[in-house]
Amino acid sequence: MTVADSVGTDAVLYETTDSGVAVITLNRPDRLNSWGADISAGVYASFDRAEADPAVRAIVLTGSGRGFCAGAYMGAMQDLGASIDEDTDVSKIVGERHPHFLTELRKPVIAAINGACVGIGLTHALMCDVRFAAAGAKFATAFPRRGLIGEYGITWILPRLAGWGVSADLLLSGRTFFAEEAAELGLVKEVVAPEDLLSRALEYAEDLARNCSPASMAVIKRQLYGDANDDVVDVSARAEKLMHESMVRPDLIEGITAFFEKRPPNFPPLKEG
């Protein structure tokens, strides 16, 4: 990796690998990386930077210390609590973008869930495209146990990942569950030893960066999230149009040529727009 640097604030660190992966690390370990204005500002700046960099082909999101993101920063919540009314601006805590912005990025986002993943932290993790988790990492929606509701799109993404019954249980109970159950429920791809988590997530991300067409991945992400609520006939017709477009890109010729020459493909970076 390159030397880590901060983006806007030391609350979020940004690194890149030689193979084209950006690693974004929430860096408030003293509070288990709970979500606040400092983290949100750094996260947005980091993802914007990765999205704009043609050398970056995949992104890994993780946390420092024992937490991935343990929900909203309770210090900020406590300050807010003294003056909560119907005009309260929760964006001061949540930030200017809802977690679903991750689904709108053109590059794949892999979550490396190193520890506590709760509330808005869980919502962000679920909006990533693929998730790895450290053995023993704790998960919870927690909303009803704080007098809150299913926030910022979790009621949209969770049923799509785990089904209706599981989602009702996790959202209504707000109970704590562990990485091993999260894998059984389909919320994470793999559970690995804590010391191997980042290297495993990087291995996966670097495979995408080396071997998958950035243009293809960008379109597939748009299909995945954009097709979620559409009729299958409309989805199929739109896919046919997208398939024709993919067949005139240089990525197709390179992918086929590399296959027959038994070498890694050399796909061009994403174009702007």
Side-chain angles (χ1 to χ4, degrees):
M1 288 191 188
T2 63
V3 176
D5 64 346
S6 60
V7 184
T9 169
D10 61 356
V12 177
L13 303 179
Y14 183 95
E15 303 171 274
T16 57
T17 71
D18 293 337
S19 55
V21 177
V23 181
I24 297 171
T25 305
L26 309 186
N27 191 42
R28 284 290 182 259
D30 54 310
R31 63 179 205 233
L32 297 179
N33 301 313
S34 54
W35 191 268
D38 54 349
I39 281 183
S40 66
V43 162
Y44 304 148
S46 296
F47 275 105
D48 287 348
R49 178 174 175 177
E51 183 81 341
D53 185 350
V56 170
R57 300 189 173 207
I59 305 166
V60 171
L61 177 64
T62 192
S64 59
R66 298 181 298 109
F68 175 76
C69 176
Y73 178 38
M74 297 308 292
M77 289 289 285
Q78 187 176 33
D79 294 340
L80 187 65
S83 58
I84 286 179
D85 59 34
E86 62 184 18
D87 295 321
T88 297
D89 184 5
V90 295
S91 68
K92 292 179 180 178
I93 295 175
V94 174
E96 63 196 35
R97 304 182 200 178
H98 291 188
H100 68 76
F101 87 91
L102 294 169
T103 71
E104 297 164 358
L105 300 175
R106 299 192 298 162
K107 299 174 182 181
V109 182
I110 294 86
I113 303 169
N114 54 299
C117 184
V118 179
I120 195 168
L122 177 59
T123 305
H124 278 92
L126 297 180
M127 294 293 182
C128 294
D129 303 306
V130 180
R131 286 154 295 281
F132 293 83
K138 292 183 179 181
F139 293 71
T141 66
F143 306 126
R145 298 184 183 232
R146 304 290 182 268
L148 296 170
I149 52 82
E151 63 185 8
Y152 300 108
I154 195 170
T155 53
W156 182 87
I157 191 67
L158 186 55
R160 284 164 172 76
L161 295 174
W164 197 269
V166 168
S167 300
D169 163 37
L170 298 180
L171 286 165
L172 291 172
S173 71
R175 66 179 177 86
T176 297
F177 57 104
F178 293 88
E180 292 73 15
E181 183 179 358
E184 292 174 2
L185 297 176
L187 298 181
V188 301
K189 171 177 165 51
E190 291 177 24
V191 176
V192 299
E195 62 271 20
D196 297 330
L197 175 68
L198 187 56
S199 62
R200 176 65 185 106
L202 278 170
E203 177 186 37
Y204 182 90
E206 288 177 341
D207 177 63
L208 300 185
R210 285 192 301 265
N211 298 307
C212 297
S213 159
S216 294
M217 291 191 292
V219 172
I220 288 169
K221 277 199 66 167
R222 191 166 79 241
Q223 288 179 284
L224 272 171
Y225 299 107
D227 292 349
N229 291 318
D230 279 0
D231 177 87
V232 66
V233 174
D234 293 334
V235 168
S236 183
R238 190 160 57 242
E240 184 177 17
K241 180 177 181 294
L242 293 170
M243 179 62 76
H244 284 301
E245 291 175 0
S246 72
M247 294 181 74
V248 299
R249 282 197 294 266
D251 302 57
L252 177 63
I253 295 174
E254 172 60 16
I256 293 173
T257 302
F259 174 79
F260 281 110
E261 293 180 355
K262 294 183 171 55
R263 61 169 175 80
N266 184 24
F267 292 119
L270 275 174
K271 297 179 180 178
E272 292 186 11

